[in-house]
Amino acid sequence: MRPAGTQLYGNTLVVLSEAPLVGHSQWMAKAISEAKSRGLGVALVTPDTTKITRSLAHLFSVLGIMWVVDDGRDELFVGQSGQRVDEVDGEYIGRDEIVPRYSRKGSAQDRGGVVVMAESLMPRRFTTRVGPLAEAVTRALTGNVPIGWGVQEPVTQPWSVEDISAAYSRDKAAGHFLHFVGPVAETSGQDTSRLAGTLEIQKPHNGVVEHVEAACPQPGPWTKEQKLDFARQMHGQSVRWATAYQTVGSDPTVVPPFYLGQPVPAVAVYGREALKGQDLDQVVELAMSRGAEHCEVFGHKKKASLAVLMSSDADPDRTHPAEILETVQMRLMGSQAPRP
């Protein structure tokens, strides 16, 4: 592993770090900004003992940045997936296969939590507020609203929808990427970890989009009532869509340099935009025929939301929740369906 810092490799600015945990710090933000201003790509290179925050992993996916793990034996791997990486003409190229020793699928079954993706669309008005969806997601996961926000990690500002809205909902910029944290969630044993999330504010021609991704440790799979409570809160925000996934293998707020398997869908909520022109009875019938645990419609007519619940039980005779979700999402959203 080379010393920490940055160096130019072809058309890529390589950010080197040996820290045990890397987040969207001021140093990382500066490196990304420098690369962008110079028209360069970015790659983070760490040893295989380093983890990154889920918020940074999400930012990397938005910006197309690769996290490369150096195993100390002249081999490189994609941090989130364990795929082997080749260095070709100043670029890092990930292969298709996962190297077995970087796969930890099914490990640490006593640790895990919930990862949520949700999005709402609001009209662009002077009174438009951003942050309520982040509040609703945090409340569904912890029972409380966020406690802080900021443009980098760790966050520095006390949570305030008014402050965020005043700064970011009314300007004409294309978009903003913010971080927020929730209260400490008690998990099994002595472990404690805060909810961590990202709030993207996007400005399409037809309004203001609040896109939220958040993760929080949980002591076990969600019950049916917890899934329904999440769905109710998402309906209350008039979401375009929202999905909650169960994870196992590690603290969901951080991403280790191993492949832990795909998150398992627990509940999906679809709003009026996804349901437009659909026969709700047919959609419910489709979901239930594929093996959904329960479907419920909130509201009515043009303000309705549909919740599709997937079973948390590991039953080999039941259709996998990921297949149920894919079937419903392709019916309602086609190629625009979100992916974890």
Side-chain angles (χ1 to χ4, degrees):
M1 188 69 189
R2 291 154 285 195
T6 60
Q7 65 182 42
L8 189 61
Y9 176 61
N11 292 318
T12 301
L13 183 67
V14 178
V15 181
L16 304 165
S17 177
E18 293 187 343
L21 180 65
V22 177
H24 186 210
S25 63
Q26 184 177 8
W27 175 63
M28 178 64 69
K30 182 179 179 181
I32 293 172
S33 178
E34 177 188 347
K36 186 175 181 180
S37 67
R38 295 168 60 184
L40 301 171
V42 182
L44 170 66
V45 179
T46 74
D48 59 8
T49 54
T50 292
K51 299 177 182 179
I52 68 174
T53 64
R54 185 170 290 276
S55 296
L56 181 63
H58 175 48
L59 178 63
F60 279 5
S61 69
V62 171
L63 298 179
I65 295 174
M66 182 180 287
W67 172 30
V68 179
V69 169
D70 185 337
D71 73 347
R73 293 175 287 184
D74 298 323
E75 287 191 293
L76 303 175
F77 305 87
V78 179
Q80 294 97 318
S81 67
Q83 297 166 276
R84 197 180 305 276
V85 170
D86 294 325
E87 297 178 277
V88 180
D89 298 328
E91 293 186 16
Y92 294 106
I93 308 295
R95 299 184 191 175
D96 291 336
E97 75 278 6
I98 297 172
V99 178
R101 72 174 181 272
Y102 281 93
S103 175
R104 298 291 188 274
K105 186 176 180 180
S107 66
Q109 294 286 342
D110 60 332
R111 300 197 66 189
V114 176
V115 175
V116 168
M117 302 167 59
E119 187 169 287
S120 63
L121 172 64
M122 301 160 286
R124 192 180 301 188
R125 298 171 180 159
F126 183 77
T127 55
T128 295
R129 300 162 77 244
V130 289
L133 180 56
E135 283 193 345
V137 167
T138 303
R139 190 179 293 111
L141 289 171
T142 70
N144 293 287
V145 299
I147 59 175
W149 71 280
V151 297
Q152 296 164 5
E153 296 178 289
V155 301
T156 57
Q157 304 298 316
W159 179 256
S160 170
V161 168
E162 288 70 25
D163 289 349
I164 296 171
S165 299
Y168 299 109
S169 70
R170 299 164 193 164
D171 64 26
K172 298 180 181 180
H176 305 277
F177 190 96
L178 309 176
H179 303 272
F180 65 94
V181 297
V184 170
E186 297 294 334
T187 62
S188 58
Q190 298 300 312
D191 294 338
T192 59
S193 182
R194 296 185 186 280
L195 173 144
T198 56
L199 166 56
E200 291 178 74
I201 303 166
Q202 303 162 359
K203 307 289 181 66
H205 71 278
N206 60 335
V208 178
V209 169
E210 182 175 350
H211 180 95
V212 171
E213 300 203 10
C216 185
Q218 298 284 330
W222 268 359
T223 64
K224 181 179 178 179
E225 187 51 46
Q226 285 175 304
K227 296 172 188 176
L228 286 172
D229 178 67
F230 170 79
R232 291 187 194 100
Q233 298 212 43
M234 295 302 96
H235 170 69
Q237 293 298 314
S238 301
V239 294
R240 307 172 89 178
W241 54 265
T243 312
Y245 299 84
Q246 305 277 177
T247 68
V248 295
S250 72
D251 178 346
T253 65
V254 298
V255 180
F258 305 113
Y259 174 68
L260 296 173
Q262 289 296 318
V264 179
V267 53
V269 183
Y270 303 97
R272 60 183 180 182
E273 193 173 340
L275 299 177
K276 184 177 180 180
Q278 297 285 342
D279 184 316
L280 273 179
D281 291 336
Q282 290 183 4
V283 177
V284 169
E285 182 180 355
L286 174 65
M288 296 301 293
S289 70
R290 291 294 289 155
E293 176 186 25
H294 177 75
C295 292
E296 190 156 331
V297 177
F298 299 96
H300 62 284
K301 296 184 178 179
K302 293 183 178 181
K303 294 185 178 181
S305 297
L306 171 66
V308 179
L309 280 59
M310 276 71 69
S311 175
S312 301
D313 298 330
D315 185 347
D317 296 326
R318 184 191 295 267
T319 304
H320 193 280
E323 296 180 42
I324 301 170
L325 180 66
E326 182 176 12
T327 298
V328 176
Q329 289 197 155
M330 287 301 295
R331 166 67 182 264
L332 296 178
M333 303 175 70
S335 61
Q336 301 302 311
R339 295 289 184 267

